[in-house]
Amino acid sequence: MAKVTIDDVEYQLADLSDEVKNTLQSMNFVDKKIVDLQMELAATKTARNAYGRSLSENLPDQQTELDENVLRIDDKKYLLSDLSDNARGQAASIRFCDQQLSRLESELAIVQTARQAYAKAVREGLNNQKH
């Protein structure tokens, strides 16, 4: 017979209400989603770092003091017009990675919040079953 452990207490799955079972399924879904998002974040960070290394190898020697149409890297400014097509492409890829990281971190926060809500609902459902 299938069992589930919640807060160090073992329960027979068959003894749980349908509502608790459904909530546990939702919790399992968000647990998997959290792992997937963490893996996607790691891959995106790796790609961003690779673009950054490649871009640093393709930056011009000359910097600028201007503040418009520049790329800022480590407190150094480079005119976009001085960058090679390859360097501009790498800079665009870095910006895209940064946007993706922001989106993924927001999505992860949402899914973690959902997981907390499901965990609370399971505990409440178990308490209601006891009474």
Side-chain angles (χ1 to χ4, degrees):
M1 189 166 279
K3 297 178 183 179
V4 63
T5 303
I6 302 166
D7 293 334
D8 297 325
V9 178
E10 196 171 88
Y11 298 89
Q12 296 292 330
L13 199 53
D15 295 340
L16 300 178
S17 70
D18 287 343
E19 182 180 346
V20 170
K21 288 178 194 174
N22 290 337
T23 305
L24 283 171
Q25 283 183 322
S26 296
M27 212 162 113
N28 285 333
F29 169 79
V30 296
D31 284 343
K32 290 174 186 168
K33 183 77 171 171
I34 287 169
V35 169
D36 289 346
L37 286 168
Q38 288 171 334
M39 290 173 56
E40 193 171 349
L41 273 164
T44 304
K45 287 176 183 176
T46 299
R48 189 201 186 286
N49 290 338
Y51 287 127
R53 281 189 303 276
S54 183
L55 175 60
S56 66
E57 294 168 3
N58 289 296
L59 291 173
D61 294 329
Q62 183 178 344
Q63 295 182 46
T64 184
E65 294 301 317
L66 299 175
D67 285 327
E68 293 182 25
N69 297 318
V70 297
L71 173 68
R72 294 174 194 264
I73 299 175
D74 298 329
D75 296 326
K76 297 177 183 173
K77 297 187 277 187
Y78 303 92
L79 282 173
L80 290 174
S81 59
D82 288 346
L83 298 179
S84 67
D85 288 342
N86 189 23
R88 280 195 296 275
Q90 292 162 339
S93 295
I94 289 171
R95 280 192 298 274
F96 178 76
C97 287
D98 287 343
Q99 291 167 349
Q100 289 296 95
L101 288 169
S102 179
R103 180 190 64 79
L104 290 167
E105 288 166 350
S106 295
E107 190 174 348
L108 181 59
I110 290 168
V111 174
Q112 288 171 329
T113 300
R115 193 207 186 281
Q116 291 170 352
Y118 288 136
K120 181 180 178 188
V122 166
R123 285 186 198 97
E124 289 171 358
L126 291 172
N127 285 335
N128 290 340
Q129 267 187 224
K130 290 178 185 176
H131 300 124

